Amino acid sequence: MHPGYPQQPPQQIDNNMTMSIVAIFLFWPLAIPALINASKVNPLVQQGNYAAAQAAAAESKKWSKWALIVGLAWYAIALVCCLLGGLGSLMSADTTV
């Protein structure tokens, strides 16, 4: 390190904001911490606190993934239940007249 020269920032840190916003539509309770952590990344980079920015990005990614997994599983279970319920009603329909 040479005195007087600014420290070079590491490669750009992805704040995972897009994935957090998508996660809001699938399972919002887990997506809220993802959005909060994603919104912390850019200010921390501007302050030069790259370690904290990287940690916030990792937390955002973790919460977003969990929200996506739980949300997609929830929709899949709901779809299967609706299909099975519809098939059950078709099978038990009284066809005698």
Side-chain angles (χ1 to χ4, degrees):
M1 245 324 128
H2 297 289
Y5 291 103
Q7 181 183 6
Q8 292 293 331
Q11 68 264 11
Q12 185 67 24
I13 299 172
D14 182 21
N15 61 7
N16 300 304
M17 184 63 79
T18 305
M19 190 163 62
S20 300
I21 291 171
V22 170
I24 276 285
F25 295 106
L26 292 175
F27 195 72
W28 65 267
L30 294 178
I32 290 173
L35 279 171
I36 291 170
N37 282 304
S39 66
K40 291 179 182 178
V41 173
N42 289 344
L44 288 170
V45 168
Q46 290 173 351
Q47 294 171 5
N49 194 348
Y50 302 114
Q54 191 68 38
E59 282 291 308
S60 174
K61 189 172 185 177
K62 176 185 78 170
W63 285 106
S64 295
K65 280 185 178 182
W66 276 110
L68 291 173
I69 290 167
V70 170
L72 290 174
W74 184 263
Y75 285 117
I77 290 169
L79 179 65
V80 168
C81 288
C82 289
L83 290 176
L84 290 178
L87 286 175
S89 67
L90 287 176
M91 297 297 229
S92 67
D94 188 16
T95 58
T96 59
V97 178

